[in-house]
Amino acid sequence: METLYILINCDLGSEVDIINELAKISEVKEVRGTYGIYDIFVKLQADSGSTLEALITHKIRRLPKVRSTVTLTPILSQGGR
């Protein structure tokens, strides 16, 4: 199972609409509005990295009012949970 995290910047006031659209995607395991530099945090999981890459490129980044994304890949060898 592959896991990626995405930080999203969006148009002011569009957070709830984007969160609702993201929540409909089966690979989205967690989605939250956030305070700070980024507006939305997303946790994605799928069987392959290529599935996640396609999802980010062809679906998430193309959602209306999404301005930019940052994708974070966990370093599993450093431990954590």
Side-chain angles (χ1 to χ4, degrees), residues 42-57:
V42 183
K43 179 181 179 180
L44 297 172
Q45 287 186 323
D47 291 332
S48 71
S50 60
T51 299
L52 294 176
E53 289 172 18
L55 178 63
I56 294 165
T57 303

Side-chain angles (χ1 to χ4, degrees), residues 26-81:
S26 63
E27 293 86 357
V28 172
K29 302 307 178 189
E30 184 175 353
V31 57
R32 305 277 180 196
T34 60
Y35 293 113
I37 297 172
Y38 298 100
D39 301 309
I40 299 171
F41 166 86
V42 183
K43 179 181 179 180
L44 297 172
Q45 287 186 323
D47 291 332
S48 71
S50 60
T51 299
L52 294 176
E53 289 172 18
L55 178 63
I56 294 165
T57 303
H58 301 295
K59 195 158 193 178
I60 294 174
R61 290 177 56 98
R62 293 184 183 185
L63 287 172
K65 301 185 181 180
V66 168
R67 291 292 174 202
S68 66
T69 63
V70 174
T71 301
L72 305 174
T73 303
I75 303 171
L76 301 177
S77 64
Q78 291 182 349
R81 58 181 186 109

Side-chain angles (χ1 to χ4, degrees), residues 7-28:
L7 305 173
I8 297 175
N9 282 322
C10 60
D11 289 350
L12 182 63
S14 64
E15 297 87 355
V16 172
D17 291 337
I18 294 171
I19 289 168
N20 288 337
E21 285 302 308
L22 291 167
K24 296 176 186 176
I25 300 170
S26 63
E27 293 86 357
V28 172

